[in-house]
Amino acid sequence: MGEQRKAVGRREFLRVAGGVGATLLSASALSGCGGDEDALTFFFQANPDETDGRMRVIEEFGRSHPEIRVRTVLSGPDPMQQMLTFCAGGKCPDVLMAWEQTYAGLADRGVLLDLNTMLDDDPDFAAELRAGSIAALYDTFTFEGGQYAFPEQWSGNFLFYNRKLFDEAGLAVPSRWDDAWTFAEFLDVGKALTQRDRSGEVVQWGFVDTWVPHYSAGLFAMNNGSEWTSPRTDPARSNFADDAFIEGVQFYADLANEHRVAPTPADQQSISAMDLFARGEAALALGGHWRYRTFSDADDLDFDITALPCGPKGTGARSNIGTTGLAISAASPRKAQAWEFLKFATGPAGQAVIAETGLFVPALDAAVRSGGFAEAHANVTNSGILTEGPAHSWPLPVTPAWARIDALMDRNMGPVLRGARPATSLANRLAPDADEVLRTR
Amino acid sequence: MTATDERAVEETSAPASPSPPRRSALARRQARAARIFIAPNLLAVAVFLVFPLGFSLYLSFQQWDLFGPIRFTGLGNFRRLLTADPLFTIALRNTIVFTLGTLLPTVAISLVVAAALNQRVRGIGFFRTVMFLPLAVSSVVMAVIWRFVFDTDNGPLNMILGWIGLGPVPWLVDPNWAMVSVCLVSTWKSIPFATVVLLAAMQGVPEDLYEAAKIDGAGGIRRFVSITLPLIRGALSFVFVISIINSVQAFDQIYVLTGGRGGPETGTYVFGIMIFQNAFAFGDAGYASAIAWLIFLVLLSLTGAQLWFSRRNATEQ
């Protein structure tokens, strides 16, 4: 009797276990992507402050196109890696955010659709887009004859400054790109606005950097008259060995290591540059418009914007042509819907929404100069820094080999930015390696 | 009929019929059931282990950017790795430094800790639990916490150093210190497992040997060196090989502590990071596979050498 009960129990147990397993399996299969299969997937990266603005654009699109549902896919810290794995695995989102420096790697692999194929079928929109676009941004996404994304914003870098701290010190800043200040003037201001307590610890920094340090160093080199590579798209050689480039990088590194007007890499381990500026503990902060919302939401922060300084070999203050755009996956089964989304987000309607939200500096000239954009930036006195930004920008390299160049820049500029090596070391280390990568890509 | 009778009948009928009908049906049923039970696991092994292994071996002889056509390059990837990639020597050097920097302290500390935990003292259970806690923590969580500990200005480690008059150490900022930091974390993570293995081996050492040695006047250290160490040689050798394999395969804690580029600069650029970077940052799957297979061959040789030494020692004994 006991044996029989045991045997039945085992069978029943197995049957129940099998049933539970099958139920779980079918439930997980159903709860996978099945419920949202028809939606247009939109992959983008945004900090928390930007996400709200982007969702507003998506909501506005939903109102004008109720038949198209958009499912957002928010990127992690490394969007390029995420896009590569998504698309290589056959799950490429329909609409992809594109960055000026990394899109070429995807375009070269055939991941992105050449949007000229869609423009050819939509001549009215094509004419409207070409007439209203800021050429420097639009052309950034032109690679090997194809148009792989439409720009949605200018995301070049400039300086945020704390108006209160400058006023208290009786210092002024340039209000336009054309009124450039020099490296020397910039350093003097940095020194004047860096304050220490009795123990010598810095309580207020003259300058902080919220961008990527080795890119920022390159931006100072750009302001000393040196572009990073030649030519701009699919470059054949780098300019990292040029005297102007080296001097610009050295000036940037010295701000932290020699003059102590900016936090060193060690300082930045525990200090958020954004927090320093938002709390009023830094006078100047390098960054792009993507920091604008964070700073404008900060309590008791009275800030404005200004141009970067110009080096002794420079020809004027420069920003970089930073731009993000929107692209369509070449493998997307929903190209028509994706095209409608692109037309909205990068066309007059979506750009007007972007202008009003203050999310980005729009990529269409009319939207940048619209009342909505001005209203969204009412506290900015030097609005010319934004509206004239693209015209005063130099391009960053566009090459499928960018990931390798980026890794080389990070590796070789690290010791320079730590003060362990002079910037002249870039001529023998970074430049030949970068040239080799560009030559053999 | 008794059970013995049944067996006798089966045995006598065996020559005429090699598989008696009743038993054969049962055996077949059992075999079928076994196959059904094994099938899901076998399928999982085939899909998630055998296929990726085979595919990565195939890819190591190809050039593939994850999207375009796969192009055969023969030994090109291996040639490029061994002769044309300056990062290979950096990764090799860093991997060796990391392996030694983890292995030696792990073995030394584990031996001491296992010997201490092998004592019969009050409250030893509590200390054993505390000692084995790192084994239960995920590598990523562990690395995130250590990142906070290593902070140059506000990290607890530098604060403690400050109390004893030592200046702040740039743990994760300076390339050399960054390697020390990752070795420290890896050692901390490896000690519990090594200790478990060594403690188990120590508990298998016959007590009477120690008693005999005590009677002969041998001290604690002498007993450890002359009795414990020789008798746990097998476990020690196992710990060596496992620690080397773990160190050479290290990736997650280095990725979280110092980033996906093995920074600062190339301070912590080990093979695990090199594979990841080439596969997922540069999209060069063939080259990444070649690196992985080269590491596999090195580890296979090391394991083979360890087995050969153990067998030779066993024969000599």
Side-chain angles (χ1 to χ4, degrees):
Chain A
M1 185 72 183
E3 270 188 346
Q4 194 183 7
R5 194 165 60 235
K6 193 179 170 190
V8 171
R10 190 176 62 234
R11 279 185 197 143
E12 272 185 356
F13 170 75
L14 289 172
R15 202 174 296 135
V16 170
V20 169
T23 311
L24 285 176
L25 208 64
S26 55
S28 65
L30 284 173
S31 67
C33 302
D36 232 3
E37 274 299 304
D38 292 336
L40 183 76
T41 48
F42 173 31
F43 174 90
F44 65 93
Q45 188 185 43
N47 63 42
D49 295 313
E50 283 179 315
T51 309
D52 295 342
R54 278 203 178 272
M55 293 313 291
R56 167 106 182 262
V57 175
I58 294 166
E59 280 164 21
E60 292 294 333
F61 174 72
R63 280 197 196 98
S64 59
H65 296 77
E67 73 286 2
I68 303 174
R69 284 186 306 116
V70 178
R71 182 160 67 88
T72 56
V73 183
L74 199 59
S75 163
D78 191 339
M80 182 64 179
Q81 181 194 319
Q82 211 164 331
M83 285 190 284
L84 267 181
T85 42
F86 278 178
C87 299
K91 291 281 181 190
C92 207
D94 301 301
V95 177
L96 300 150
M97 191 169 162
W99 284 260
E100 77 287 282
Q101 289 184 297
T102 51
Y103 86 90
L106 294 173
D108 193 49
R109 289 178 166 91
V111 176
L112 306 181
L113 180 74
D114 180 359
L115 298 176
N116 284 328
T117 56
M118 308 298 272
L119 284 171
D120 290 345
D121 294 336
D122 202 340
D124 292 344
F125 178 73
E128 191 178 33
L129 189 68
R130 285 190 184 118
S133 286
I134 297 169
L137 307 183
Y138 189 84
D139 294 345
T140 298
F141 291 113
T142 307
F143 176 71
E144 290 184 346
Q147 184 71 36
Y148 290 100
F150 293 151
E152 55 168 355
Q153 64 165 316
W154 172 68
S155 55
N157 283 269
F158 46 85
L159 291 167
F160 295 87
Y161 74 93
N162 185 314
R163 208 154 23 197
K164 187 176 152 217
L165 297 182
F166 270 77
D167 287 348
E168 282 172 0
L171 295 167
V173 296
S175 57
R176 299 181 61 231
W177 289 99
D178 287 334
D179 306 330
W181 44 355
T182 65
F183 275 8
E185 287 167 345
F186 179 80
L187 178 59
D188 288 343
V189 166
K191 283 178 178 169
L193 290 169
T194 301
Q195 293 179 1
R196 294 177 167 77
D197 61 16
R198 281 184 194 166
S199 64
E201 194 157 327
V202 177
V203 291
Q204 178 184 300
W205 295 98
F207 168 72
V208 292
D209 184 4
T210 72
W211 202 29
V212 183
H214 61 270
Y215 286 6
S216 301
L219 184 54
F220 273 79
M222 207 180 256
N223 276 273
N224 199 33
S226 174
E227 292 197 49
W228 295 10
T229 55
S230 306
R232 153 213 181 114
T233 301
D234 212 0
R237 61 174 288 269
S238 75
N239 297 325
F240 298 143
D242 288 4
D243 290 344
F245 189 90
I246 287 168
E247 278 174 27
V249 171
Q250 189 65 61
F251 175 77
Y252 173 84
D254 287 347
L255 290 173
N257 300 314
E258 192 181 321
H259 308 299
R260 295 292 290 152
V261 300
T264 61
D267 296 326
Q268 288 179 48
Q269 258 190 306
S270 55
I271 311 173
S272 155
M274 279 201 306
D275 286 349
L276 283 175
F277 187 76
R279 291 200 304 251
E281 294 169 18
L284 287 157
L286 173 70
H289 190 276
W290 62 92
R291 303 286 184 217
Y292 183 80
R293 184 70 70 82
T294 306
F295 294 151
S296 59
D297 287 350
D299 294 332
D300 303 324
L301 179 65
D302 179 18
F303 75 94
D304 206 328
I305 56 177
T306 184
L308 285 153
C310 176
K313 290 192 169 69
T315 52
R318 299 268 172 256
S319 182
N320 56 294
I321 299 182
T323 174
T324 67
L326 297 179
I328 299 176
S329 156
S332 168
R334 286 170 282 271
K335 289 192 184 72
Q337 291 116 305
W339 177 244
E340 290 303 322
F341 184 74
L342 242 67
K343 279 170 64 176
F344 179 85
T346 63
Q351 291 283 299
V353 175
I354 286 170
E356 284 168 15
T357 58
L359 172 64
F360 301 139
V361 180
L364 290 186
D365 204 44
V368 179
R369 300 184 189 284
S370 67
F373 183 72
E375 205 172 308
H377 296 84
N379 58 336
V380 171
T381 310
N382 303 331
S383 57
I385 298 295
L386 300 179
T387 54
E388 295 163 16
H392 288 81
S393 295
W394 274 2
L396 296 174
V398 172
T399 165
W402 178 251
R404 291 180 191 275
I405 301 288
D406 183 24
L408 284 172
M409 285 178 75
D410 179 34
R411 194 180 304 145
N412 290 290
M413 283 197 181
V416 177
L417 301 185
R418 271 192 304 117
R421 260 189 232 148
T424 46
S425 65
L426 300 177
N428 299 324
R429 292 168 185 262
L430 173 60
D433 287 355
D435 287 350
E436 174 74 12
V437 168
L438 292 174
R439 214 172 20 246
T440 57
R441 85 139 186 103
Chain B
M1 193 188 275
T2 63
T4 319
D5 291 337
E6 267 184 23
R7 251 198 322 272
V9 169
E10 281 169 17
E11 276 166 12
T12 46
S13 61
S17 169
S19 52
R22 191 161 170 251
R23 176 160 186 169
S24 157
L26 180 66
R28 273 204 302 275
R29 266 208 313 278
Q30 283 177 337
R32 194 172 61 240
R35 278 197 295 272
I36 290 170
F37 274 102
I38 291 170
N41 288 328
L42 212 57
L43 191 70
V45 168
V47 171
F48 296 112
L49 192 69
V50 177
F51 172 72
L53 274 176
F55 192 57
S56 79
L57 180 62
Y58 166 75
L59 279 183
S60 66
F61 299 105
Q62 319 287 330
Q63 192 179 18
W64 189 42
D65 68 356
L66 302 173
F67 294 92
I70 298 176
R71 280 181 295 162
F72 179 72
T73 55
L75 293 172
N77 286 329
F78 293 95
R79 205 175 301 123
R80 177 179 151 202
L81 180 61
L82 294 170
T83 60
D85 191 343
L87 288 176
F88 174 73
T89 45
I90 292 171
L92 180 67
R93 187 197 63 207
N94 284 347
T95 305
I96 291 172
V97 170
F98 178 71
T99 303
L100 292 176
T102 304
L103 175 73
L104 299 179
T106 297
V107 172
I109 297 170
S110 302
L111 271 174
V112 173
V113 172
L117 293 180
N118 199 25
Q119 307 300 311
R120 287 192 188 85
V121 290
R122 202 177 156 81
I124 197 73
F126 171 75
F127 290 109
R128 282 182 189 169
T129 309
V130 170
M131 194 58 221
F132 298 141
L133 270 181
L135 207 57
V137 183
S138 119
S139 296
V140 174
V141 171
M142 175 195 73
V144 168
I145 293 168
W146 275 98
R147 208 179 152 78
F148 162 71
V149 172
F150 284 134
D151 189 290
T152 307
D153 291 322
N154 301 315
L157 201 54
N158 274 355
M159 279 170 71
I160 294 167
L161 289 177
W163 292 337
I164 57 173
L166 296 174
V169 175
W171 292 107
L172 295 174
V173 180
D174 181 90
N176 296 322
W177 280 110
M179 179 53 91
V180 172
S181 306
V182 293
C183 287
L184 204 64
V185 175
S186 188
T187 303
W188 180 81
K189 174 78 178 166
S190 311
I191 284 173
F193 177 74
T195 306
V196 170
V197 174
L198 296 177
L199 180 60
M202 282 179 189
Q203 289 183 337
V205 177
E207 195 61 32
D208 50 1
L209 288 178
Y210 291 118
E211 284 167 10
K214 265 187 201 167
I215 292 165
D216 288 345
I221 295 174
R222 180 72 181 171
R223 289 200 298 276
F224 184 74
V225 173
S226 301
I227 299 173
T228 312
L229 277 185
L231 288 177
I232 63 163
R233 195 162 50 191
L236 209 53
S237 162
F238 173 73
V239 166
F240 260 95
V241 171
I242 290 293
S243 297
I244 291 173
I245 290 173
N246 284 340
S247 300
V248 175
Q249 290 181 338
F251 169 73
D252 45 3
Q253 68 266 41
I254 295 178
Y255 180 85
V256 178
L257 275 170
T258 58
R261 288 177 173 156
E265 292 127 52
T266 50
T268 58
Y269 193 83
V270 294
F271 279 130
I273 295 287
M274 190 180 188
I275 293 172
F276 173 81
Q277 190 183 45
N278 278 285
F280 298 107
F282 303 158
D284 198 345
Y287 192 56
S289 299
I291 303 168
W293 275 91
L294 193 79
I295 296 171
F296 168 74
L297 291 176
V298 171
L299 288 178
L300 189 68
S301 322
L302 279 174
T303 312
Q306 186 264 332
L307 281 174
W308 183 76
F309 276 118
S310 341
R311 280 190 192 135
R312 203 180 66 161
N313 284 341
T315 314
E316 280 170 4
Q317 278 175 347

